[in-house]
Amino acid sequence: MSARDAMRAMMQELMGDEGAQDIDFKDNTVCRAYCAGLCPYDLLQNTKVDKGKCPKVHNQTVKGKFEADATPADRQTFEMEQRDTLNEFLAENDRKLRRAQQRIDAETAYDEASAGKAKAVHDIAEDIGKKLAEVERLGAEGKVDESLKLNSEVEELKQKRAELETEFKGSGTFGSSKQKLRVCEVCGAFLSMFDSDRRLADHFGGKQHMGYLKMRERAAELSTKYGSSRSRGGDRDRDRDRRRDDRDDRDRDRDHERSRSRDRDRDRRRDDREGERDRRRDDRDRYS
């Protein structure tokens, strides 16, 4: 968006519904993802990964015009742009997720048997958290029977988790805090293997996790409908990520080599100075 468009968007936002009467939903200042039903900026507001306010106009009147007047071609254009916007957010989150998991993997040294037990504890703990969040949602909606049925499943999972934790403690790898960490595959937040049930429910029912979950579900829906921008551009994205990682590795290697070269040059100059001092000393001794 140009600076002029950004200024127009800000003014239109300040003017509210009254000023929106003259805005065409096709205007470049209008957020197409918002008109199509879901803007990622809104989903992440007031979370740890808050991206700030969307730079484009969010206005209910303009959205109403889109819903009332948009042609099928308009809807396709808006939804495809929404898909691309969501995928940009998801691609950024996935890069952070991969880097975080790589750091954990690099610092964790399980044997194969312990790794399997650790994964099993993690998986059950996540399942408990998801089901507890669903129990609370069902209870809030007054669906008591469904809530009680799901809660009984949670109790069974808790028993299984306790048994697995006992086995894992006996493996001798229980003590390291790093070995208890895992990255949430939906939102990228860190989870501990032994988070409390309350903490797990808060995470899986929380705004950050639910925001990324809605993004992934909507992006998958639109990719099925129109084709995936990440599948067409996915190879490019992955290649770009690999090139970025390779470039970072090369930069680190180059910096390391430069540092080594500077050290060698410094050592060489020091040796030269010491050699020159020794020669002058020898000359003085010879003629004295």
Side-chain angles (χ1 to χ4, degrees):
M1 185 190 297
S2 68
R4 180 177 297 178
D5 286 342
M7 182 61 71
R8 286 176 59 205
M10 184 178 68
M11 293 301 297
Q12 289 162 356
E13 192 75 16
L14 290 172
M15 291 168 68
D17 288 341
E18 181 179 350
Q21 299 297 327
D22 299 327
I23 304 175
D24 189 328
F25 65 79
K26 297 181 184 180
D27 193 289
N28 287 334
T29 62
V30 172
C31 177
R32 296 185 173 187
Y34 169 78
C35 288
L38 185 154
C39 174
Y41 285 95
D42 288 345
L43 293 176
L44 299 179
Q45 278 188 356
N46 300 319
T47 69
K48 292 181 179 179
V49 290
D50 192 330
K51 305 293 184 182
K53 190 174 182 180
C54 179
K56 295 197 173 186
V57 170
H58 287 202
N59 185 281
Q60 191 61 44
T61 299
V62 177
K63 184 178 180 181
K65 292 180 183 178
F66 168 78
E67 292 171 346
D69 301 333
T71 66
D74 291 332
R75 294 184 185 279
Q76 178 174 342
T77 298
F78 276 51
E79 288 182 348
M80 290 179 71
E81 187 163 325
Q82 180 189 46
R83 174 204 60 190
D84 295 343
T85 301
L86 292 172
N87 281 336
E88 288 175 7
F89 273 71
L90 293 173
E92 178 186 2
N93 185 63
D94 288 347
R95 285 194 295 272
K96 293 179 180 178
L97 191 159
R98 286 195 300 272
R99 288 196 295 268
Q101 189 61 55
Q102 287 167 359
R103 285 197 300 272
I104 292 175
D105 292 343
E107 296 172 349
T108 302
Y110 286 141
D111 57 55
E112 188 172 345
S114 296
K117 292 175 183 176
K119 184 179 185 303
V121 174
H122 271 303
D123 290 344
I124 289 182
E126 290 190 16
D127 203 9
I128 289 172
K130 291 173 183 177
K131 288 183 183 295
L132 280 173
E134 183 67 8
V135 166
E136 293 182 359
R137 185 188 67 79
L138 290 170
E141 294 176 357
K143 300 178 180 179
V144 179
D145 291 340
E146 293 95 325
S147 178
L148 291 174
K149 180 180 178 181
L150 194 58
N151 195 57
S152 66
E153 295 179 16
V154 170
E155 293 303 317
E156 293 177 6
L157 287 171
K158 288 182 180 179
Q159 181 61 36
K160 290 181 181 178
R161 182 180 63 179
E163 295 170 359
L164 283 169
E165 286 179 0
T166 300
E167 291 182 23
F168 190 66
K169 289 178 182 180
S171 69
T173 56
F174 181 77
S176 171
S177 60
K178 288 186 175 65
Q179 292 170 341
K180 301 176 187 178
L181 291 177
R182 186 172 182 174
V183 180
C184 176
E185 296 179 354
V186 171
C187 68
F190 283 104
L191 298 174
S192 171
M193 182 186 299
F194 305 115
D195 275 332
S196 68
D197 296 340
R198 178 71 266 161
R199 161 77 174 90
L200 291 168
D202 287 344
H203 169 78
F204 288 106
K207 188 172 184 179
Q208 178 175 325
H209 183 87
M210 293 304 296
Y212 275 111
L213 183 62
K214 289 176 182 178
M215 280 191 235
R216 292 183 188 281
E217 290 175 346
R218 180 59 172 167
E221 175 190 345
L222 294 175
S223 294
T224 300
K225 188 174 182 180
Y226 299 117
S228 174
S229 59
R230 296 179 80 180
S231 65
R232 285 200 307 269
D235 291 338
R236 291 197 301 274
D237 291 342
R238 285 188 292 272
D239 289 343
R240 185 170 59 249
D241 291 344
R242 282 194 293 269
R243 288 196 299 272
R244 182 184 298 111
D245 292 340
D246 290 344
R247 186 168 59 250
D248 290 343
D249 290 340
R250 288 195 301 273
D251 289 343
R252 281 192 295 271
D253 291 342
R254 188 161 51 246
D255 291 342
H256 181 61
E257 184 58 34
R258 286 172 179 166
S259 178
R260 290 179 58 191
S261 178
R262 284 194 297 269
D263 289 342
R264 287 194 298 269
D265 289 343
R266 189 165 51 246
D267 291 342
R268 191 180 302 114
R269 288 193 298 271
R270 185 176 61 249
D271 291 342
D272 290 343
R273 287 194 301 270
E274 290 175 355
E276 182 62 26
R277 283 197 300 269
D278 290 342
R279 283 192 295 273
R280 287 198 298 268
R281 188 181 303 113
D282 290 342
D283 290 342
R284 284 195 303 271
D285 293 342
R286 187 178 303 118
Y287 295 108
S288 62

